[in-house]
Amino acid sequence: MKIAVAKGDGIGPEIMEAVLTVFRANKVPLEYEYVEMGKWVFDKGFSNGMTPVAKETIEQLGMLFKGPMETPKGKGVKSINVTARKTWNTFANKRVFQTLHGVDTVFSKAGIPIDITVVRENIEDTYGGIEHMLTHDVALSRRFITRPGSEQVIKYAFEMARKKKTRRITCGHKANIMKITDGLFLDIFYEVAKDYPELKADDVIVDDLCMKLVTRPDTFDVVVLTNLQGDIVSDLCAGLVGGLGFAPSANIGDHICIFEAVHGTAPDIAGKNIANPTALLLSGIAMLQHVGLTENAATIENALLYTLETGIHTGDFGDKTIPPVNTTAFAEAIIQNLGKKPKLNAKEVIPNMPGTPTPLKLERNSMMVSQEDESESIAGVDLFIESDEQPEIIAEKCMRHAGVKFKLVSISNRGTQVWPTGSLYTNLVNQYNVRFESLDDKPLNQQDIIGLYVSMSGNFKICSLELLNSWGGKKAYSLAQGQ
Ligand code: NAD
């Protein structure tokens, strides 16, 4: 079995070498094809941070084991890591956080065991990076949560929870505020839960989840979240088990998977051979499990846990009374301990069952559309306009443009209604949302909206617009605060 390996930037080459040395010592039956990817490739003029050969190799092999990569500084440059995850549709980011004996934390000292798997949606949300300045003062980020995208990650989380025989699967969300986006994610969570009656499925609002994770981490098993919330919550969980040096990450897609550490390139210690390779090693172990090399995975994990139990550590963690070892010596210690079992959390060694299907060669992009069974109509439009005038003046001007098809129903500023009712204590910025609906409640068409747009543009700079759709008579848009 062949996999693509990208060593990465900063500490990447050092920790990758340490991990592959352990793999070789354990005779892991993998071949490595090194690919050119990272900041240094970007510097050579490849604008997405990888050579065309690297892209083709990864798409052929379907498996990428990568070191951390630096995001070039400057506007207009996208993160290589995020580009890779999104381009290859690795829709689920799985991060496992468990108590490691020898890595002291407040919880390990208190005898509270932690074994939490965070599954984070990996493509959508604000990570689309679709951002615009609407006025000189107002920036907008578009947050996409889609039905098919949410289904992919939530189904993966339930399937993984079933295989792991966990007790509980929890959806973290903010659906109390973001009723349409997070509401969709939460609805899908409970739709999928119906197929897994043996699992206790529940949900917790994300701020409460953070509090509960730091007070009772032992009560959580699998937590599934949207992208940004998942990013934050997974770093919180990394802190619970000793920090980013112990946080592995698997980016799972239908065709291509990427295994990497959560931490970055650690430029402050790069080239010194002192970095902790544990997170990358744990990611490599997860990759071995994923491709069915269960015996190698368990043997190496047991050797790692045994090594940690003996107190051997790199400079970033461990007992300060024991001098730290460097990256190479840490890997050597693990190699010496291959075949040994730790006192705590020893992994069962199950014979290898390799044979993950080779990725399908795709002829075209797959379109993910769910069945729509409700009739759709346009009930109105939100026009986002630039103005530094008072709400009543804007209302007066807008009403002149409403014509025979529209009525002005509301004006809001930063999501708070300021007309027809509002408060003088609401501070304003120079960007309003003016909401028009159909005058006689009859459905509108796009030409009606364009007519209004053209008319309104005589008075205002229109920054953007959103249709007010309605499905099966139900409003598919939010109300302004106070509307
Ligand atoms: P970082 O994770 O690189 O470093 C944060 C701190 O943790 C530093 O003090 C560092 O020395 C320490 N640290 C990190 N990994 C360590 C390890 N294995 N052993 C010992 N100490 C370790 O975060 P940063 O400084 O914010 O980011 C540096 C660069 O890495 C940025 O360009 C960022 O974009 C990139 N990055 C890449 C990835 C990735 O490739 N997946 C993830 C995060 C950040």
Side-chain angles (χ1 to χ4, degrees):
M1 205 184 305
K2 217 184 215 184
I3 62 162
V5 174
K7 293 180 183 175
D9 304 307
I11 58 168
E14 302 158 46
I15 55 173
M16 184 60 83
E17 187 47 39
V19 170
L20 295 186
T21 306
V22 174
F23 278 19
R24 282 187 215 106
N26 189 233
K27 301 198 168 38
V28 171
L30 285 178
E31 271 183 61
Y32 310 115
E33 179 117 12
Y34 292 95
V35 291
E36 296 192 313
M37 208 177 160
K39 163 80 164 46
W40 62 280
V41 181
F42 185 90
D43 290 343
K44 277 164 78 177
F46 295 94
S47 60
N48 58 358
M50 68 182 106
T51 61
V53 178
K55 180 172 179 281
E56 203 183 307
T57 307
I58 294 161
E59 290 181 359
Q60 253 171 24
L61 299 176
M63 188 68 67
L64 171 64
F65 188 33
K66 71 176 272 295
M69 292 175 189
E70 185 182 330
T71 302
K73 293 194 175 63
K75 284 197 171 169
V77 183
K78 300 256 179 184
S79 154
I80 303 159
N81 307 299
V82 178
T83 303
R85 290 174 210 150
K86 286 168 66 84
T87 309
W88 292 313
N89 203 56
T90 60
F91 52 79
N93 181 224
K94 175 184 158 195
R95 297 178 179 182
V96 179
F97 304 99
Q98 46 189 326
T99 307
L100 293 168
H101 198 54
V103 182
D104 277 348
T105 66
V106 279
F107 297 104
S108 68
K109 284 179 185 160
I112 299 171
I114 296 174
D115 185 358
I116 302 170
T117 303
V118 175
V119 180
R120 159 191 170 197
E121 197 286 316
N122 218 13
I123 313 262
E124 308 187 340
D125 202 338
T126 45
Y127 284 62
I130 305 167
E131 301 194 322
H132 298 92
M133 291 299 296
L134 295 190
T135 74
H136 187 69
D137 284 349
V138 179
L140 174 81
S141 170
R142 291 197 160 224
R143 179 170 191 256
F144 280 100
I145 303 291
T146 72
R147 178 174 286 281
S150 303
E151 267 171 10
Q152 277 188 321
V153 65
I154 291 170
K155 279 183 182 164
Y156 169 79
F158 271 95
E159 207 47 44
M160 194 238 1
R162 173 177 276 173
K163 280 199 197 121
K164 256 188 106 185
K165 297 193 170 61
T166 54
R167 302 158 293 168
R168 179 181 180 195
I169 176 163
T170 305
C171 179
H173 63 88
K174 196 74 185 170
N176 52 331
I177 303 295
M178 293 176 280
K179 292 182 197 295
I180 294 194
T181 47
D182 274 28
L184 177 64
F185 193 79
L186 184 59
D187 284 350
I188 294 168
F189 175 81
Y190 281 116
E191 276 169 30
V192 174
K194 288 183 197 142
D195 295 333
Y196 299 82
E198 77 278 19
L199 290 170
K200 179 179 180 302
D202 61 2
D203 70 280
V204 184
I205 291 172
V206 68
D207 34 348
D208 189 24
L209 176 67
C210 290
M211 200 264 293
K212 291 195 165 104
L213 278 168
V214 294
T215 50
R216 292 298 309 274
D218 51 322
T219 61
F220 291 94
D221 288 332
V222 175
V223 183
V224 58
L225 304 109
T226 52
N227 203 340
L228 176 61
Q229 293 168 28
D231 196 6
I232 296 165
V233 166
S234 52
D235 271 26
L236 183 152
C237 290
L240 300 178
V241 296
L244 287 183
F246 304 94
S249 162
N251 300 284
I252 308 288
D254 284 334
H255 304 288
I256 297 173
C257 296
I258 305 170
F259 291 81
E260 61 182 337
V262 171
H263 63 72
T265 58
D268 49 335
I269 56 166
K272 295 182 181 164
N273 194 30
I274 56 170
N276 178 2
T278 305
L280 190 64
L281 183 59
L282 287 169
S283 311
I285 291 167
M287 177 178 70
L288 299 182
Q289 284 162 349
H290 188 79
V291 297
L293 298 176
T294 41
E295 185 170 341
N296 295 103
T299 309
I300 295 172
E301 191 166 356
N302 282 338
L304 167 69
L305 298 179
Y306 183 93
T307 306
L308 294 172
E309 276 184 1
T310 60
I312 293 176
H313 65 93
T314 48
D316 55 309
F317 75 102
D319 186 345
K320 295 289 172 236
T321 61
I322 304 174
V325 297
N326 66 24
T327 313
T328 316
F330 189 75
E332 277 308 318
I334 296 169
I335 291 169
Q336 295 306 317
N337 292 329
L338 285 168
K340 294 183 183 156
K341 285 202 170 173
K343 282 196 221 87
L344 277 182
N345 294 334
K347 304 298 164 193
E348 191 189 350
V349 180
I350 302 166
N352 285 346
M353 287 176 295
T356 301
T358 34
L360 292 175
K361 196 103 187 88
L362 297 180
E363 299 291 328
R364 57 171 97 168
N365 297 83
S366 51
M367 172 60 74
M368 310 186 296
V369 185
S370 52
Q371 207 181 327
E372 202 183 301
D373 40 21
E374 286 166 330
S375 64
E376 178 187 341
S377 61
I378 300 173
V381 64
D382 277 346
L383 295 178
F384 296 84
I385 59 161
E386 178 169 353
S387 174
D388 54 11
E389 292 177 300
Q390 286 295 306
E392 315 77 60
I393 312 276
I394 293 172
E396 199 186 302
K397 286 185 185 172
C398 285
M399 280 189 279
R400 280 190 236 142
H401 297 285
V404 293
K405 295 233 165 170
F406 292 92
K407 61 178 178 232
L408 179 70
V409 292
S410 140
I411 300 178
S412 57
N413 195 292
R414 291 191 289 172
T416 306
Q417 180 167 283
V418 289
W419 184 93
T421 55
S423 164
L424 293 178
Y425 294 94
T426 304
N427 282 354
L428 304 173
V429 296
N430 64 353
Q431 202 259 325
Y432 286 90
N433 174 12
V434 293
R435 174 165 290 183
F436 289 92
E437 287 180 3
S438 167
L439 183 61
D440 48 12
D441 294 332
K442 287 207 182 110
L444 299 158
N445 59 36
Q446 292 208 73
Q447 282 72 24
D448 297 329
I449 305 295
I450 291 166
L452 178 67
Y453 187 103
V454 171
S455 175
M456 281 281 288
S457 65
N459 257 129
F460 300 103
K461 178 186 141 197
I462 302 170
C463 306
S464 69
L465 74 81
E466 288 296 341
L467 297 179
L468 301 180
N469 292 313
S470 131
W471 274 292
K474 271 191 281 169
K475 286 186 166 123
Y477 49 92
S478 58
L479 297 181
Q481 200 77 39
Q483 190 181 349

